[in-house]
Amino acid sequence: RGGVLPGSPPDPWGPPDYLAGVAAGASLAAGAGAWTAFADQAATPTLVGTSLRSELVLPPVNPTMDYCMLATTSFNKALMVCGISAANPTQGGCVTSCGASWNSALREALAIVDQGCLPLENAANEIWGPAASSGISSTAAFTLPEWEQLQAQCLSSPCGEFWCSLSAVGQHSLYPPYEGDEGCPNFMATDGVYTWPFLTWTSVMYYQDNNLGCTGGLSAIADDEFKTWACVHAPQCAAIVSDDLACFKYNEVRGEFAFWGWNARLKVAPALFQLPASFCNDQGVSVLLDARQPVGAGVALAGMSYAFYKYSEGVLRPFRSGTAEELADGGCGSVRLAPDTQFWLEVTPGTEHYPWKGWWSSVNEDIMRGNPQEVALAIYPKIAVPGFFKCDWLGVTLQWCISEPLDLDLFLFVPLEEGGDFALDQPNAVYWATMDPESTAPDLYTGPYEQNGGEANGGATIILERDDIGEPADGGPRTFGPESIIIKGTPMAGRYAVVATIWISDPLSPLVFSGGCATVGLYSGNLQGGQVVQRQVGAKGRNGHWWHVLNIVVSYDGPDDGSSRPARYSYEMVDQIIPGPIVQEDGYFADPQFSGPGAPEPEILLLRREVDAYDRATQENQWLTEQHCRSYAKVGLELFSSVTSLPLVSGTFTADGGSPVSVDSAVLRYQVPEGYSGGYGVLEGQHSWLVQSPGFAPYELNFKVDLGTEHLFYGTYLVPADGQTRVVLRWQDTPSDLDLHVVPVGVRDPADGTEAQWVWQDPFTEEEWLPEVYEGDDAALRPYVWWGVAGQECGCVDHDDDPQTDCRPLCALSATGPDYASRPTLTLDRDDQIHGRVSGTGRVYNAPEVATLKNLWPGTYRVYVSAYQPEGADEGPEFESEVSVDIWLGDGSSVSSIGSVTHRAGRGGKWLYAGYFSVTDDVVHCTNPNQKPQEEGGTCVSWYAARRVVPAPLGNNYHPVRLRMAHALLYRDQLEESGISFHRAQYVIYSGGSCSCVGSVSCSCTGATIMSTGVVGADLPEDDPNYVARVWTGALPLYLTNGQYQIKVGLPGFYDRMATVDVADGAVDVPAVMVPIVAEGELRVVLTWGARPWDMDLWVVRAGVPKPSWLEGVPEQTVFWDAAEVDTVNEDGVNEMAGIALNRDEVNANGPETVTFGAGVPPLRYRVAVNVYADLPTLPDAPTQCVEGEDAGCHFRGGETVQFFTSTGLLTQSTFVPSVGTWWVVGTIEKDIAGGFSFDFEPVVEGERNGAGSVADGSATCLDIYDEC
């Protein structure tokens, strides 16, 4: 990732490694030179007996590279090779490599005379002393006398005159001379990215790969220095002809290419572009001929573009390309091509015709005798808008070239009965001599051949629209087709054979496709590009004169029940030469007749026409607005293991609920350059395939075939059915690299409750280290599994040389423990970095990334996806295509899919929080679809999706947040006997936005981000240090980073509860009081508060009764802790407090205290108040009523809340703000005759009353809970 793996030094006779780390787009200054053919290399190879040394540092390849840098490098090389240094300035001997290095150094130094080059001058003075003794001064300019002093040092060495004289240096020039008839002052070589005024090995390979150069051996003229030559095309050298080559000899000793001469004189390589070719004939008329016009001028060249490719060793390489505007004479100018060469040609003629793609062959220049070869093509006009009017029409074309016989003919053999097969005989043929139905003798083509009343009546009309005899009657230029047949409408069911043959008047002439260039094309009105297939006869054409090209197959979908059925079109490639008769001048077939058709390849579905019978005249407008044809896309399928990436040898798929089909039926073959063949045909639309292979879990492959899609390929990676929990990350072409991360949070060893310690273990030595993490992260605090966890590329290694055991993934994170096999282990089995890359077989595999989670301890395991940012990138990529995170839950023996987390295309982001696995020991309640009890370990693994984009999460510190749940009516010890459990309570954690529960049984949030969801889980066991006897505590904490959150808790039969929590570098407890939903007509009042004071009480009194005397006791019309219900009546015999009951009195902080108003409560006014009773633990000792001012904690803390619930939800609530006082008069409740409740809350004030403590009430005049205020 972000680097290059080290390799062996490059082979001087093969392509060297490309230079790594150079910014794209840089080019060298035009005046630069170089002393080595490895100037564009990361390192120079060491070659014994030469001047090449790997320790020599080459100048950096960038625009600042100049002659001074090259001369200094050359001089340093000479010192190194000759063993000269400041400590040993006298040269001991002169081998060839030393002399050659001296010669190169002098040559480079001569090039900088009168230029500044302090580095060279300083390097010389370090060896031979200051200027006074060396004669080389460190001045601004390197002068000719100084160069002569440098030469004198060489002449005085053992190398002497032979190496130190530059009289013969011309033979070692790095580039063509600047003057004379061979001058080329602007010679530049390229490797496709950079340019140099000298040749390098990388640029030689570039020219070879692009058919612009070649190499060879010097054979008899080789010597000790030169054994190899290379010639490259130099179009910028105006002094030479346009197809000449600049030739160089490779100097093995110096490691550089020296200019040798021009190929026009040396003749060591064949000229590249001897043959001119043109898109016009010799009269300047376009030979791109409209295939549907019987005669006439060619297709206009304006707007035409072309590209010639040359196929070599499985690779299609660009050879020539351009536009008509770039050619001379309005597009009729010549394109220079290599002769006797088969090109893949792509021509886009303009907006009114389909592109032409296929093989095209150039001929020998001797055939053309200096004249341009015509690039004559059958250009098919567009038939229809795919899916609409005329979408069911098919066209067939035939064309040929100058090396074929004069006249070729196109035949379509048809069936004579519905559902029948074609017969290779004259009555069944549509061709130039189609029989006139009213005549007994053949005649020239008489017009359309109609089936079932013709196309206008719901049948088909078949027409030979163009017949070409190769030579116009008026004596004009020779033509090479096209011939064309069109099939309009719906042919009757059956098979139709497309065949080409040779017509010749002299039966003694050889009847063979002598040129091999005859080409047949099939076109469909339902394809955007029109062309279905193009096939050239090739060399086999020399074996006969009947070429069975393909079959067209028409059938019906569905049973024949008398109603209209969709018509299905397909074709079968045959591409075989078959024996057959000679077609005579009168059109008759002479004996012997056909021996039989060619054997077809498997059928390839093309399109389906949804309307079977119609009136073309009346339904044309309908056809323009409704889709009537759907194309078949060819789908290829290959199966692999998602863990090992190995191909699976067997498998099936069930397409859209059908019967299982072998994957062999979905083999999509790819051949350069024709493209794809084979595959399983499916129509446009949405599809679902169930893919299966023995030993692997079934996988549902969902995909859509869009209008115009011709081929789809799916490399499908299946999850082993080995009982392991896995995460599978899938995405499409972009970006090329996404990364999967699994982050363990709050994981503890179930044996002793200690936090897990995560390490990376060497699979061979079993040594353990802290795992690798991103820069800035602390592996001890924030471990996670990712592609760099091992400090090396991910993979699976054989760690024990035992073929019976599984390999060990390198990218693995495990918790410390004695036995590796039983440890909690997180592994990244596959890391993929090449999405969107086309393989050599034309496929894009888009393999997934896969993580496996084994032997999990209780805790959470968060799953993140990141868009990989290469080192040095600015912002790097974001999520571009759709991202899918598939979750597979295992129990040790089986696996099941629980769905995917999908991030839709175009939503962007750098990090996706997919969700998390929660592991608890609550196996009893492990029954939800998103849960799986483990067969060993006594744990339950649950998955909860998050589906949100987050900032970079790996450096976060997580803090435990525990939900403390209480029942509003029942105490903790009453829950079990009442059959109530909170383990299935669902929670949702929000960040930001605003949340409200008022007016509904459910709470909702707007503008908030969902952080995570899940279930509370089992209650903590009593021996857990966090266990609290009076509340239900979720066994698994919710781990959150610092910040404020809203946590919603829901359970069927209860109102949703919303709690605000602030996380700040520590554990947090979040109380959640679950309030059962009341029946219609009832009201529930619930008091909750914080951790202090310890004991608060909820009071409800009949408003307007006489004031009580605290010394005499509480009036009877009061419901509070000492009177849960009132059963007394007034003087009228009415119990004014009937139906009001205190359900729960909490004496140890947080609440709840709950009072329920039944449906039978009298329609009167009631006052609700809250009293601070004590700030001491009530249990085990019961303190007395505290006194404000005397007991330090005897006052409100602020934040105390009273909520009022009806059957429709939370009706209203009031919160106490100041942290003073011991009495809070919340307000009044009034029940009307209709049974509704109304509330009166006013601003809070404070006052004193009879030593009973201060009172906060709704108005300044109402200072007692019993006042009629």
Side-chain angles (χ1 to χ4, degrees):
R1 253 310 160 160
V4 178
L5 295 177
S8 57
D11 179 354
W13 310 122
D17 295 335
Y18 283 90
L19 176 67
V22 180
S27 62
L28 302 184
W35 58 270
T36 172
F38 298 93
D40 51 353
Q41 291 302 112
T44 303
T46 296
L47 299 177
V48 178
T50 73
S51 62
L52 297 179
R53 301 286 189 274
S54 60
E55 60 266 29
L56 182 69
V57 179
L58 295 178
V61 180
N62 56 46
T64 64
M65 180 175 169
D66 56 20
Y67 274 107
C68 175
M69 297 173 64
L70 296 170
T72 304
T73 305
S74 243
F75 179 67
N76 287 332
K77 181 181 75 167
L79 298 178
M80 179 187 300
V81 174
C82 296
I84 304 172
S85 64
N88 184 26
T90 303
Q91 184 177 318
C94 187
V95 296
T96 300
S97 58
C98 171
S101 297
W102 258 119
N103 189 274
S104 292
L106 291 173
R107 181 191 65 201
E108 304 296 356
L110 186 61
I112 62 167
V113 166
D114 295 331
Q115 300 179 27
C117 192
L118 286 176
L120 175 62
E121 294 169 336
N122 291 336
N125 289 331
E126 287 180 8
I127 303 298
W128 297 298
S133 56
S134 70
I136 302 174
S137 62
S138 297
T139 61
F142 180 72
T143 65
L144 182 59
E146 290 175 323
W147 179 84
E148 291 171 345
Q149 288 295 325
L150 195 64
Q151 185 186 37
Q153 292 290 348
C154 179
L155 290 168
S156 65
S157 76
C159 293
E161 179 82 14
F162 181 81
W163 289 108
C164 303
S165 170
L166 295 187
S167 59
V169 80
Q171 67 173 327
H172 300 311
S173 174
L174 295 172
Y175 33 75
Y178 280 11
E179 299 176 355
D181 60 353
E182 291 187 345
C184 185
N186 58 344
F187 174 81
M188 297 292 284
T190 181
D191 68 345
V193 179
Y194 310 103
T195 55
W196 298 272
F198 48 83
L199 201 62
T200 69
W201 272 115
T202 305
S203 55
V204 167
M205 300 313 299
Y206 171 80
Y207 283 105
Q208 268 194 297
D209 289 344
N210 288 278
N211 303 293
L212 298 173
C214 48
T215 61
L218 291 171
S219 301
I221 61 173
D223 55 28
D224 291 340
E225 288 190 72
F226 299 100
K227 294 182 173 63
T228 308
W229 60 264
C231 295
V232 299
H233 181 52
Q236 76 277 23
C237 295
I240 62 172
V241 295
S242 60
D243 65 347
D244 205 356
L245 303 170
C247 294
F248 298 78
K249 293 190 292 184
Y250 178 68
N251 191 315
E252 292 188 37
V253 176
R254 298 173 188 247
E256 64 192 23
F257 283 100
F259 179 69
W260 186 14
W262 299 104
N263 186 55
R265 295 187 179 183
L266 297 172
K267 304 215 181 279
V268 295
L272 292 181
F273 320 115
Q274 304 99 321
L275 180 70
S278 175
F279 294 99
C280 300
N281 60 25
D282 58 7
Q283 298 180 0
V285 177
S286 169
V287 292
L288 302 183
L289 299 179
D290 189 312
R292 295 195 60 197
Q293 295 297 323
V295 293
V299 175
L301 297 180
M304 182 271 291
S305 62
Y306 65 91
F308 289 88
Y309 298 87
K310 193 172 180 181
Y311 179 75
S312 176
E313 297 179 354
V315 179
L316 202 64
R317 304 184 189 279
F319 191 85
R320 281 284 186 270
S321 62
T323 64
E325 286 73 15
E326 295 169 351
L327 297 173
D329 302 325
C332 289
S334 295
V335 180
R336 298 185 71 85
L337 300 172
D340 287 324
T341 302
Q342 190 178 49
F343 293 96
W344 180 262
L345 175 59
E346 297 183 0
V347 174
T348 304
T351 58
E352 301 300 321
H353 294 77
Y354 293 122
W356 191 98
K357 298 180 181 181
W359 289 110
W360 183 88
S361 301
S362 63
V363 298
N364 190 285
E365 64 269 27
D366 294 336
I367 297 177
M368 301 309 302
R369 298 180 180 179
N371 297 315
Q373 179 180 352
E374 293 179 15
V375 186
L377 304 176
I379 303 298
Y380 214 89
K382 292 186 176 179
I383 301 173
V385 175
F388 298 94
F389 186 51
K390 302 180 183 179
C391 61
D392 54 344
W393 290 15
L394 298 177
V396 184
T397 63
L398 168 66
Q399 66 180 55
W400 56 98
C401 68
I402 193 171
S403 57
E404 293 286 14
L406 182 68
D407 186 7
L408 272 61
D409 288 314
L410 183 63
F411 285 69
L412 181 70
F413 291 95
V414 303
L416 292 182
E417 60 182 8
E418 191 80 37
D421 205 350
F422 62 86
L424 293 177
D425 53 30
Q426 189 174 344
N428 290 55
V430 175
Y431 69 116
W432 63 268
T434 297
M435 294 282 291
D436 183 340
E438 303 300 324
S439 171
T440 58
D443 196 356
L444 293 180
Y445 180 72
T446 57
Y449 171 82
E450 294 187 339
Q451 293 178 335
N452 298 331
E455 182 260 349
N457 297 302
T461 301
I462 304 174
I463 307 172
L464 177 69
E465 292 192 310
R466 185 160 185 151
D467 176 38
D468 187 270
I469 62 173
E471 196 168 42
D474 59 6
R478 181 180 169 182
T479 55
F480 312 102
E483 299 215 351
S484 69
I485 292 175
I486 192 165
I487 304 173
K488 300 179 180 181
T490 305
M492 64 182 180
R495 295 168 76 235
Y496 300 71
V498 175
V499 182
T501 190
I502 299 164
W503 185 89
I504 190 165
S505 58
D506 182 4
L508 299 179
S509 298
L511 286 173
V512 295
F513 295 91
S514 54
C517 62
T519 301
V520 168
L522 175 64
Y523 291 83
S524 167
N526 203 48
L527 292 182
Q528 195 71 40
Q531 183 174 303
V532 177
V533 66
Q534 192 94 267
R535 189 59 58 95
Q536 191 176 66
V537 66
K540 66 178 178 295
R542 297 185 179 92
N543 298 324
H545 70 286
W546 283 97
W547 176 29
H548 187 174
V549 186
L550 58 87
N551 300 326
I552 296 171
V553 184
V554 180
S555 59
Y556 291 102
D557 273 354
D560 184 4
D561 57 3
S563 60
S564 298
R565 291 176 292 164
R568 183 172 63 185
Y569 295 67
S570 59
Y571 68 97
E572 302 166 332
M573 289 307 305
V574 180
D575 193 19
Q576 294 175 25
I577 300 297
I578 59 175
I582 293 175
V583 181
Q584 302 177 119
E585 290 189 30
D586 58 6
Y588 279 115
F589 290 2
D591 291 332
Q593 297 298 309
F594 290 99
S595 61
E601 298 176 7
E603 180 181 359
I604 300 175
L605 295 172
L606 181 56
L607 67 93
R608 186 171 80 166
R609 208 204 66 179
E610 303 296 344
V611 176
D612 183 48
Y614 61 96
D615 181 346
R616 178 76 66 176
T618 60
Q619 293 195 16
E620 180 171 331
N621 290 335
Q622 175 190 354
W623 273 64
L624 293 173
T625 57
E626 297 182 14
Q627 182 175 349
H628 286 261
C629 299
R630 291 196 293 164
S631 291
Y632 285 91
K634 287 71 179 178
V635 179
L637 192 64
E638 287 186 37
L639 306 186
F640 302 88
S641 166
S642 63
V643 175
T644 66
S645 301
L646 295 176
L648 305 181
V649 296
S650 64
T652 62
F653 64 94
T654 302
D656 302 316
S659 301
V661 179
S662 170
V663 292
D664 294 338
S665 301
V667 175
L668 192 64
R669 293 172 292 276
Y670 182 81
Q671 183 175 352
V672 176
E674 290 93 339
Y676 293 100
S677 63
Y680 188 84
V682 296
L683 286 168
E684 301 158 12
Q686 196 70 38
H687 297 274
S688 178
W689 288 10
L690 184 65
V691 183
Q692 296 177 287
S693 182
F696 290 82
Y699 175 72
E700 187 173 312
L701 175 64
N702 296 298
F703 61 94
K704 182 182 180 182
V705 178
D706 294 320
L707 178 66
T709 300
E710 297 183 30
H711 301 94
L712 289 171
F713 172 77
Y714 294 98
T716 304
Y717 291 74
L718 301 183
V719 173
D722 56 1
Q724 302 301 332
T725 294
R726 285 189 172 90
V727 181
V728 181
L729 167 64
R730 306 178 192 270
W731 73 101
Q732 298 171 25
D733 289 353
T734 56
S736 60
D737 189 7
L738 294 182
D739 289 313
L740 192 60
H741 300 71
V742 181
V743 183
V745 177
V747 177
R748 296 188 174 275
D749 186 340
D752 54 15
T754 59
E755 187 172 354
Q757 302 299 310
W758 297 95
V759 296
W760 177 79
Q761 185 185 91
D762 187 302
F764 299 102
T765 66
E766 297 188 353
E767 294 181 85
E768 295 179 347
W769 293 280
L770 285 177
E772 294 287 335
V773 292
Y774 281 111
E775 184 177 355
D777 286 356
D778 188 335
L781 297 178
R782 291 181 292 273
Y784 39 82
V785 68
W786 62 303
W787 60 265
V789 68
Q792 55 187 303
E793 294 289 331
C794 295
C796 206
V797 297
D798 183 4
H799 62 291
D800 56 6
D801 293 326
D802 184 353
Q804 301 302 317
T805 60
D806 293 334
C807 59
R808 279 269 294 273
L810 283 173
C811 290
L813 192 69
S814 65
T816 55
D819 180 12
Y820 186 88
S822 61
R823 293 181 181 184
T825 306
L826 315 175
T827 62
L828 184 63
D829 306 310
R830 287 203 84 265
D831 172 40
D832 196 273
Q833 311 165 26
I834 55 172
H835 270 232
R837 182 180 298 179
V838 181
S839 71
T841 58
R843 295 166 173 82
V844 179
Y845 282 87
N846 288 350
E849 297 211 356
V850 181
T852 301
L853 297 82
K854 297 181 180 180
N855 307 321
L856 300 181
W857 285 348
T860 60
Y861 302 82
R862 298 185 174 225
V863 177
Y864 296 97
V865 179
S866 75
Y868 175 71
Q869 179 171 333
E871 187 175 353
D874 294 330
E875 302 247 339
E878 292 191 348
F879 300 119
E880 299 167 21
S881 59
E882 182 171 286
V883 178
S884 176
V885 181
D886 302 340
I887 305 301
W888 296 82
L889 284 184
D891 60 7
S893 62
S894 65
V895 295
S896 57
S897 170
I898 60 168
S900 302
V901 174
T902 302
H903 184 65
R904 293 181 181 174
R907 292 190 173 183
K910 290 288 294 183
W911 284 92
L912 172 66
Y913 178 26
Y916 64 93
F917 293 97
S918 168
V919 182
T920 68
D921 56 8
D922 182 16
V923 180
V924 174
H925 301 103
C926 193
T927 57
N928 284 342
N930 66 319
Q931 298 177 314
K932 209 167 187 74
Q934 302 301 290
E935 293 184 347
E936 296 182 4
T939 57
C940 173
V941 178
S942 309
W943 166 257
Y944 301 101
R947 294 186 181 90
R948 61 186 179 87
V949 172
V950 296
L954 299 183
N956 292 337
N957 285 323
Y958 294 90
H959 307 287
V961 176
R962 294 187 180 276
L963 286 174
R964 307 282 194 184
M965 302 183 65
H967 196 288
L969 308 181
L970 305 176
Y971 295 97
R972 174 69 183 84
D973 56 3
Q974 297 174 315
L975 294 179
E976 186 172 353
E977 62 187 56
S978 300
I980 296 174
S981 173
F982 292 141
H983 78 278
R984 290 190 181 275
Q986 300 276 338
Y987 67 81
V988 182
I989 303 176
Y990 298 92
S991 176
S994 60
C995 301
S996 174
C997 302
V998 177
S1000 174
V1001 172
S1002 303
C1003 300
S1004 61
C1005 297
T1006 58
T1009 300
I1010 297 178
M1011 305 298 289
S1012 63
T1013 62
V1015 295
V1016 173
D1019 195 3
L1020 284 176
E1022 294 185 15
D1023 57 353
D1024 190 283
N1026 293 293
Y1027 176 80
V1028 176
R1030 60 192 179 83
V1031 295
W1032 181 296
T1033 302
L1036 187 64
L1038 319 178
Y1039 283 88
L1040 299 173
T1041 58
N1042 288 346
Q1044 186 178 80
Y1045 304 90
Q1046 308 286 332
I1047 301 180
K1048 179 176 74 173
V1049 183
L1051 187 66
F1054 294 80
Y1055 302 99
D1056 280 359
R1057 304 297 283 156
M1058 187 71 73
T1060 300
V1061 56
D1062 292 296
V1063 180
D1065 295 329
V1068 181
D1069 285 348
V1070 179
V1073 175
M1074 302 306 295
V1075 181
I1077 298 173
V1078 298
E1080 186 176 355
E1082 295 183 342
L1083 174 72
R1084 185 155 286 148
V1085 184
V1086 180
L1087 164 66
T1088 56
W1089 67 96
R1092 300 285 294 278
W1094 282 88
D1095 188 5
M1096 301 185 72
D1097 292 315
L1098 182 63
W1099 291 55
V1100 176
V1101 301
R1102 168 74 176 90
V1105 301
K1107 294 179 183 179
S1109 168
W1110 292 102
L1111 300 178
E1112 298 176 359
V1114 178
E1116 292 179 346
Q1117 291 87 355
T1118 303
V1119 171
F1120 71 116
W1121 60 268
D1122 197 34
E1125 293 183 84
V1126 174
D1127 55 8
T1128 58
V1129 298
N1130 60 16
E1131 61 272 14
D1132 297 324
V1134 177
N1135 180 358
E1136 296 178 341
M1137 303 296 288
I1140 303 175
L1142 177 69
N1143 307 109
R1144 174 166 174 166
D1145 175 32
E1146 181 56 57
V1147 296
N1148 279 285
N1150 294 307
E1153 297 236 346
T1154 305
V1155 172
T1156 300
F1157 287 63
V1161 171
L1164 299 170
R1165 292 183 69 206
Y1166 303 91
R1167 188 159 295 151
V1168 177
V1170 177
N1171 172 237
V1172 177
Y1173 183 86
D1175 191 37
L1176 293 173
T1178 303
L1179 300 174
D1181 300 320
T1184 58
Q1185 174 86 49
C1186 67
V1187 179
E1188 185 179 14
E1190 297 181 10
D1191 300 321
C1194 194
H1195 61 84
F1196 291 103
R1197 300 302 195 271
E1200 294 81 4
T1201 299
V1202 176
Q1203 295 177 304
F1204 301 84
F1205 298 89
T1206 66
S1207 60
T1208 60
L1210 175 63
L1211 199 59
T1212 187
Q1213 66 181 36
S1214 183
T1215 299
F1216 192 71
V1217 177
S1219 57
V1220 296
T1222 58
W1223 279 95
W1224 168 30
V1225 179
V1226 181
T1228 58
I1229 301 172
E1230 184 167 0
K1231 182 178 180 182
D1232 56 36
I1233 297 176
F1237 293 93
S1238 59
F1239 306 88
D1240 183 12
F1241 304 127
E1242 295 185 14
V1244 173
V1245 297
E1246 299 175 37
E1248 294 292 331
R1249 174 63 61 188
N1250 296 336
S1254 64
V1255 177
D1257 189 47
S1259 70
T1261 59
C1262 183
L1263 300 180
D1264 199 294
I1265 65 172
Y1266 294 98
D1267 275 344
E1268 180 66 41
C1269 44

